[in-house]
Amino acid sequence: SALQKTLDYSMKAINLNKTDYQNWILLGNIYASLIPYDISNAYENAQNAYNKADNLSPKNPAITLLLGRLELANGSLTKALDYANKAISLKNNYVEGYVFRSQLKVQNNDISAAIQDFQAAAYYSENNPQIILQLGVLLYNLKQYENTVSILEKLVAVMPDYSDARYFLGLAYDKLGLADDAIIQ
């Protein structure tokens, strides 16, 4: 009942303005949220709605990224990566595109390329602390402890209360045999 009402309201918004790409995104998001529940035609309906949004705003990398996320939810890592690449080509400083593509590359075991994408995301986001932390965690998981320390020390210097950054910095210090520094973190 709630789902049907949500779909009805989304369709009312579309009927009020079929040329507003955001109305189509809303409908696509509703259907995309149903994919994990194996709802019949959820993927196809989401794809159709996102494609209509894309036709209305073809240079919008966020829509392209939604199509990529949809493909990932549908189990196609290759198609998701194609959409991530397209989103970045539409806007070369598209931080969300770099983060998504790096996550896909990690899933595809292309770790060095994933690191490059995280570095690009950090560069274009003017050192967003969450992205820098994700890069540090990725490096830590790859056992690149010196690089982890280098990145997270800078982050902690700017944000001394960032507990997650301090935690992983402490773990990296410990792996490097710097127990006293680890305890401080």
Side-chain angles (χ1 to χ4, degrees), residues 21-22 24-26 28-29 32 46-47 50 53 60-73 80 83-84 87 94 100:
Y21 73 92
Q22 293 175 337
W24 291 103
I25 288 174
L26 176 62
N29 288 346
Q47 186 179 46
Y50 288 152
N60 187 333
I63 298 169
T64 305
L65 202 62
L66 285 170
L67 284 160
R69 292 185 192 283
L70 180 65
E71 290 301 334
L72 183 61
Y83 278 113
Y94 188 45
F100 182 60

Side-chain angles (χ1 to χ4, degrees), residues 56-173:
L56 292 168
S57 185
K59 295 186 189 271
N60 187 333
I63 298 169
T64 305
L65 202 62
L66 285 170
L67 284 160
R69 292 185 192 283
L70 180 65
E71 290 301 334
L72 183 61
N74 198 46
S76 179
L77 184 63
T78 303
K79 288 180 182 179
L81 189 54
D82 289 343
Y83 278 113
N85 289 333
K86 182 180 177 189
I88 292 169
S89 72
L90 288 171
K91 184 179 180 192
N92 70 342
N93 64 346
Y94 188 45
V95 173
E96 292 84 359
Y98 284 107
V99 170
F100 182 60
R101 188 170 74 178
S102 69
Q103 293 165 345
L104 296 173
K105 288 180 178 180
V106 166
Q107 289 183 31
N108 207 28
N109 291 320
D110 190 356
I111 304 303
S112 62
I115 290 171
Q116 290 174 345
D117 279 343
F118 262 116
Q119 289 170 330
Y123 175 79
Y124 287 123
S125 67
E126 298 182 21
N127 296 320
N128 177 310
Q130 292 173 333
I131 291 172
I132 294 170
L133 176 64
Q134 288 179 11
L135 176 58
V137 171
L138 178 61
L139 292 169
Y140 177 82
N141 288 331
L142 295 171
K143 300 180 180 175
Q144 295 184 16
Y145 305 121
E146 291 168 357
N147 291 335
T148 303
V149 166
S150 174
I151 287 170
L152 294 182
E153 280 180 339
K154 293 174 189 169
L155 181 55
V156 167
V158 176
M159 297 183 69
D161 294 334
Y162 198 174
S163 59
D164 289 341
R166 286 191 170 276
Y167 174 75
F168 280 98
L169 179 57
L171 291 177
Y173 279 147

Side-chain angles (χ1 to χ4, degrees), residues 7 24 27-29 31-32 34 39-52 70:
L7 288 169
W24 291 103
L27 181 61
N29 288 346
Y31 282 117
L34 300 175
I39 302 294
S40 179
N41 297 319
Y43 166 77
E44 293 81 3
N45 290 333
Q47 186 179 46
N48 289 335
Y50 288 152
N51 282 330
K52 287 180 182 178
L70 180 65

